Amino acid sequence: MAGRGRGAVEGEGTTAGVSERLLFTGTAPAEAAPVSLPMPRPAGEILPPDGGAALQPPKSATIDRIRRRFHRASFSAFRQSVVAAATTELDRGIGFLLVPVFLAAGVIFYFSLNTEPDLYRPQAAVALMAVCAAISRSWPKTHLLFMAVLLCALGFVAAKVETWRTATPMLGSEIQTRLTGRVVIAEEMANGRVRLTIDLISTAHPTLRYAPNRVRLSARRIPPDMKAGSLVTGYARLLPPTGPVRPESYDFSFDSYFSGIGGSGFFLGDPKVISTTDPAPGASIASAIENARENIADHIRRTVGGPEGEIAAALIVGVRAGIPEDINEAMRRTGIYHIISISGLHMALVAGTIMLLLRGAFALFPDFSSRRPVKKYAAAIALVSIAAYLVISGVVVAAERSFIMLAVMLVAVLFDRAALTMRNLAISAIAVILVSPHEVVGPSFQMSFAATAALVGAYAGWADYRADKVRAPPAKRSFLRFLSRKLAVGAGGAAMTSIIAGSATALFAIWHFQRVSPLSLLANLAIMPIVTVVMFLAVASAVMMPFGFDGPFLYLMGKGLTAMIAISAWISQWSPVDAVGLISIQSVLLATIALVIATMATTWLRLAAIPFAVAALLTIPQVRAPDLLISEDAHLVAMPIGGGELAINRARSNEFTTDNWKRALKAEAIVPPETFAKDALDIADPVDLPPGSPFYCTGDLCIGRHPSGAIVALAENRNSARPACRFADLIVINDATAYNPCRDPRVLVVTKRQLARDGSAAVFFDPQSATARPAIQYAVQKPYRPWHEQRRYSREARGLAPYKKPEKSAAPASQ
């Protein structure tokens, strides 16, 4: 603080001020006081009787007053700095960048509700907030607040409207029936089967009163003349959509609902083609596009061959079902699976290659190119090309986002406007949110936009930093030094890109998949140059394919993919276990807030992201892993028994479910049950089992012991479960008609009927008390949301035994 005041010492060549030492000591420095004129005294000051100096307040009070003034001045300066920075951010357009953020917040709030809301109150809230925002335009702060609430309400309404508009009929129970329908998609899978997406027309033997509109079935073989648009029939086993494999995991019935898939299953025989004509005009266009995709994919597979042909088909037309699972797993473990999903890299390479080739061709005609806007011509043709690529490769979220961003940039070129990249990202996010709000809660949307926003924000900040630096002209270098420097800069840029994108998506990957890729940086550095060349060859082959000259390009593309597969397999062998367990949703939300602030702010306000990022890291471990997991069909139970081992109750289990449970519980090995002949296992005193014992099965009963000491019993029916009431803490009964056979309220009994109603379950034992009743958490909450309504109609949820068809009306399996 400048100026004369208490504790200030002023002399020649000095400036009066407050000595900082006085803030930490109780006495003044032992120095001679300078001679000064008496200071004016307040009127209320009391003089001592002898006329001496006025009574001085204690020095501690003086220090407190100085501190208060200093704090008030500091707060005032900080407040002014915040206001100035916020004003700058608003002037630079951060308000528009936050539009998709608030829209997404409203969507997330809708999908996180426990009950389905009506449509009228959200619409009323939108109308009210719109009126308040219009009235409050004269008060900027209030106006911004109302606009934020309005956008949240709009996101809420968009999600509700999409749910109401979709209204997918979902199959309630497992059943066998003869169906007739029209093929929408036919995909060849890596295991040799064919996956068919079929629009149902009719069912028979029995006729379904509440049949779904669209189902997804697999078949061993299909007729050679079957294609998209063909009318087919066959006897099939239909299954209702499954829910989450564990609480707080990905909900497959949610995905099926918004994909329009009301059931899944398989043909009991080979389907037969009734007709290959498609009378509906709209369906015929979609069928023609799908058939073109499959024809191109078949051509690529025949030309390239092997797994490389499957990956080449995925890169060009987006058909990924035929990629072998071991290659998929290797790419996931090394963090390069993103190259299979058509996204920004693929779209940018397509657009860039088209523009480069066209501008090079126009340059061969200088008279024409000097008088015509050839750059605009190239941009227009590139726009049409990436639109065709979007359609032919399948419309997915990452491709939608990339197409919209590139379309905005190319349109800006056509109108001689600058295309701001972060604004392009915001425009694409707004479009995806309004068209498909349910994508907001999916991993594709979250990871795609998080990686892109982080890269755009990081490189924009780096560009601003370099713009403020004064750089000397580059020194002359030899060709080798020039080439080595360019290679080093390219490698460094690729490394930073991988680090930034990986850091931005790490928590989302852990939340959705419970895995990370420790060697992703090495894998991306080794593979991305190959992928760049491969994509250039893919574009060239697509351009030459109509003329029949794509063979050499596809051949070279296959060789590049062979190298990519070999490198990913080698790195995958050295990659450590990538299972990281569960994290809390709070950490993901905090990390999202930190990412939004860090990428969208352009002033020092981006430092506000640091406390949110630190809080996100601190809240990662604040989640308790389940002590036991139960599948929703009551067939499979898993229990961690220590040492990285996961004990299960069946020798043959669902591989997808057990893999998910292994990653969630950070288990490395599966321990199958030990099976004994009926009455060969003595269970007279199961409490003698050591903690951490796997499941021992005999007859209709399995027994295991958790490391905490809790005993788990798995029974096929009520009669076999009754003896376990004497010693078990948890009993799981694989029978929908059974009820609780135990009178002891401390025994937790879970039946197949409860699981059919409430989904898979996670059980938590009390480590402090061996006699306490275990806690249980189900995956599905009541009342049901629309994508769970079918659960109430299943036979298991109604307490009925499985359906058995009379022998006289049973259809042969060969049909």
Side-chain angles (χ1 to χ4, degrees):
M1 295 175 61
R4 186 180 301 274
R6 297 184 185 275
V9 180
E10 186 178 355
E12 184 178 359
T14 63
T15 302
V18 177
S19 175
E20 294 183 357
R21 292 196 183 105
L22 294 181
L23 302 177
F24 304 96
T25 59
T27 58
E31 298 179 358
V35 178
S36 60
L37 296 175
M39 297 293 294
R41 304 185 185 279
E45 190 172 316
I46 302 176
L47 296 176
D50 57 357
L55 293 175
Q56 300 292 328
K59 292 183 178 180
S60 60
T62 302
I63 295 174
D64 291 339
R65 186 161 56 251
I66 294 174
R67 285 177 177 172
R68 287 194 297 270
R69 292 176 181 175
F70 178 76
H71 292 161
R72 283 196 297 268
S74 301
F75 178 76
S76 178
F78 175 75
R79 182 175 178 274
Q80 293 176 0
S81 178
V82 170
V83 171
T87 303
T88 303
E89 296 286 1
L90 291 174
D91 292 340
R92 293 177 178 176
I94 195 175
F96 181 77
L97 301 183
L98 291 176
V99 169
V101 175
F102 290 113
L103 287 175
V107 172
I108 293 173
F109 178 68
Y110 167 80
F111 286 118
S112 64
L113 294 177
N114 293 327
T115 60
E116 183 65 19
D118 56 41
L119 185 59
Y120 306 106
R121 276 176 283 190
Q123 288 178 330
V126 169
L128 178 61
M129 289 299 104
V131 172
C132 294
I135 295 175
S136 62
R137 292 181 64 88
S138 302
W139 302 281
K141 296 180 181 179
T142 307
H143 177 70
L144 291 176
L145 177 62
F146 282 129
M147 285 299 299
V149 178
L150 173 61
L151 292 172
C152 291
L154 283 174
F156 190 98
V157 171
K160 173 61 181 178
V161 170
E162 184 192 28
T163 302
W164 168 76
R165 176 173 49 86
T166 303
T168 301
M170 310 280 275
L171 189 68
S173 294
E174 176 182 338
I175 195 168
Q176 297 179 13
T177 183
R178 173 174 290 278
L179 59 84
T180 301
R182 195 171 298 279
V183 176
V184 179
I185 302 174
E187 301 172 292
E188 295 184 8
M189 303 174 67
N191 58 7
R193 297 181 68 90
V194 180
R195 185 170 61 189
L196 301 173
T197 302
I198 300 175
D199 285 340
L200 283 186
I201 297 176
S202 64
T203 59
H205 308 297
T207 301
L208 304 184
R209 290 182 296 174
Y210 303 102
N213 295 331
R214 177 172 291 185
V215 295
R216 183 172 289 159
L217 306 172
S218 65
R220 289 190 298 269
R221 294 178 302 273
I222 61 173
D225 58 340
M226 181 181 292
K227 59 182 181 180
S230 299
L231 197 64
V232 299
T233 185
Y235 204 72
R237 187 173 188 176
L238 298 178
L239 306 172
T242 59
V245 297
R246 56 175 177 79
E248 297 183 355
S249 67
Y250 188 75
D251 192 348
F252 294 95
S253 61
F254 178 87
D255 180 72
S256 297
Y257 180 87
F258 286 100
S259 299
I261 306 296
S264 60
F266 52 90
F267 281 101
L268 298 176
D270 296 335
K272 299 179 180 179
V273 177
I274 300 176
S275 172
T276 58
T277 60
D278 193 346
S284 62
I285 296 175
S287 299
I289 295 174
E290 186 59 34
N291 288 326
R293 290 183 66 200
E294 285 299 323
N295 292 335
I296 295 173
D298 290 339
H299 172 72
I300 295 170
R301 295 189 190 105
R302 290 192 301 267
T303 305
V304 179
E308 294 84 357
E310 299 292 345
I311 298 177
L315 294 177
I316 296 177
V317 293
V319 179
R320 296 184 291 178
I323 302 176
E325 186 56 33
D326 58 338
I327 295 179
N328 282 331
E329 182 62 22
M331 288 191 290
R332 292 189 187 102
R333 288 177 66 90
T334 53
I336 63 169
Y337 193 75
H338 61 88
I339 67 173
I340 301 299
S341 174
I342 295 177
S343 58
L345 172 66
H346 310 75
M347 286 283 180
L349 286 174
V350 170
T353 302
I354 295 297
M355 289 194 68
L356 179 64
L357 293 176
L358 288 175
R359 297 198 68 181
F362 286 136
L364 299 176
F365 305 95
D367 292 339
F368 176 80
S369 59
S370 61
R371 293 193 298 267
R372 300 290 183 180
V374 295
K375 182 179 179 180
K376 295 183 179 181
Y377 295 165
I381 298 175
L383 179 59
V384 175
S385 301
I386 61 174
Y389 186 41
L390 175 68
V391 174
I392 202 68
S393 62
V395 182
V396 295
V397 177
E400 285 180 356
R401 183 259 308 161
S402 304
F403 169 76
I404 295 173
M405 288 186 63
L406 286 172
V408 172
M409 295 179 65
L410 294 174
V411 171
V413 172
L414 296 178
F415 290 94
D416 297 319
R417 295 290 186 269
L420 302 179
T421 309
M422 190 62 80
R423 292 180 65 87
N424 293 348
L425 182 64
I427 292 172
S428 62
I430 293 171
V432 174
I433 292 172
L434 294 179
V435 174
S436 303
H438 74 278
E439 297 286 0
V440 173
V441 295
S444 180
F445 178 94
Q446 295 171 6
M447 299 180 68
S448 175
F449 279 93
T452 306
L455 290 172
V456 171
Y459 283 105
W462 174 250
D464 294 340
Y465 172 79
R466 286 175 57 87
D468 295 336
K469 295 292 183 180
V470 178
R471 295 185 299 274
K476 292 184 178 180
R477 300 184 180 90
S478 64
F479 176 76
L480 291 178
R481 291 187 63 187
F482 173 80
L483 182 61
S484 61
R485 184 176 183 275
K486 289 296 183 182
L487 291 176
V489 171
M496 287 306 301
T497 299
S498 179
I499 293 173
I500 293 170
S503 301
T505 59
L507 288 185
F508 297 103
I510 296 174
W511 169 256
H512 289 287
F513 309 113
Q514 297 79 52
R515 69 190 308 169
V516 294
S517 302
L519 300 182
S520 62
L521 176 60
L522 174 62
N524 279 277
L525 286 177
I527 288 174
M528 287 312 296
I530 300 175
V531 173
T532 303
V533 176
V534 164
M535 283 305 304
F536 178 81
L537 294 171
V539 175
S541 64
V543 173
M544 295 298 176
M545 194 174 294
F547 308 102
F549 300 134
D550 58 321
F553 299 100
L554 289 177
Y555 174 80
L556 295 176
M557 185 179 179
K559 296 301 180 183
L561 292 175
T562 301
M564 186 194 75
I565 293 173
I567 294 173
S568 64
W570 181 77
I571 296 177
S572 176
Q573 292 177 354
W574 292 95
S575 179
V577 177
D578 58 352
V580 293
L582 304 174
I583 61 173
S584 64
I585 185 61
Q586 291 83 2
S587 63
V588 179
L589 294 176
L590 290 170
T592 303
I593 296 174
L595 181 65
V596 169
I597 297 175
T599 56
M600 294 186 179
T602 58
T603 62
W604 65 268
L605 287 180
R606 64 175 57 148
L607 297 177
I610 296 177
F612 289 100
V614 172
L617 296 177
L618 294 177
T619 55
I620 284 178
Q622 293 184 2
V623 58
R624 180 184 174 185
D627 295 319
L628 186 134
L629 290 170
I630 311 172
S631 64
E632 68 176 8
D633 58 1
H635 285 174
L636 189 62
V637 175
M639 178 177 64
I641 56 177
E645 295 181 331
L646 189 67
I648 59 176
N649 65 315
R650 294 185 182 272
R652 298 180 61 183
S653 59
N654 185 290
E655 184 177 354
F656 178 83
T657 301
T658 54
D659 184 64
N660 183 283
W661 288 358
K662 282 175 60 179
R663 294 197 307 268
L665 300 176
K666 292 191 290 187
E668 301 178 12
I670 294 293
V671 180
E674 297 187 22
T675 306
F676 299 87
K678 189 174 183 180
D679 300 329
L681 177 64
D682 184 13
I683 58 171
D685 196 4
V687 295
D688 292 337
L689 289 174
S693 298
F695 290 107
Y696 300 99
C697 300
T698 175
D700 294 337
L701 185 66
C702 293
I703 300 174
R705 192 166 193 181
H706 189 263
S708 64
I711 298 177
V712 180
L714 314 174
E716 291 297 321
N717 50 61
R718 183 174 183 270
N719 293 331
S720 59
R722 186 179 291 108
C725 295
R726 297 183 291 104
F727 53 80
D729 299 279
L730 169 67
I731 302 176
V732 181
I733 306 178
N734 186 22
D735 185 2
T737 63
Y739 54 92
N740 191 346
C742 303
R743 297 182 179 180
D744 190 347
R746 294 173 297 179
V747 180
L748 176 62
V749 178
V750 180
T751 66
K752 190 169 187 174
R753 183 179 185 183
Q754 291 173 302
L755 295 170
R757 289 178 171 181
D758 303 328
S760 57
V763 180
F764 302 87
F765 299 116
D766 190 350
Q768 305 297 329
S769 175
T771 60
R773 179 184 173 92
I776 188 168
Q777 177 186 356
Y778 292 99
V780 179
Q781 303 294 328
K782 295 179 181 176
Y784 293 129
R785 302 298 297 273
W787 44 91
H788 291 147
E789 277 293 331
Q790 75 281 357
R791 304 188 75 93
R792 69 171 75 247
Y793 304 113
S794 67
R795 294 184 62 87
E796 292 81 5
R798 291 181 288 165
L800 302 177
Y803 176 78
K804 292 184 179 180
K805 194 171 185 179
E807 292 294 334
K808 60 180 181 180
S809 60
S814 61
Q815 290 182 340

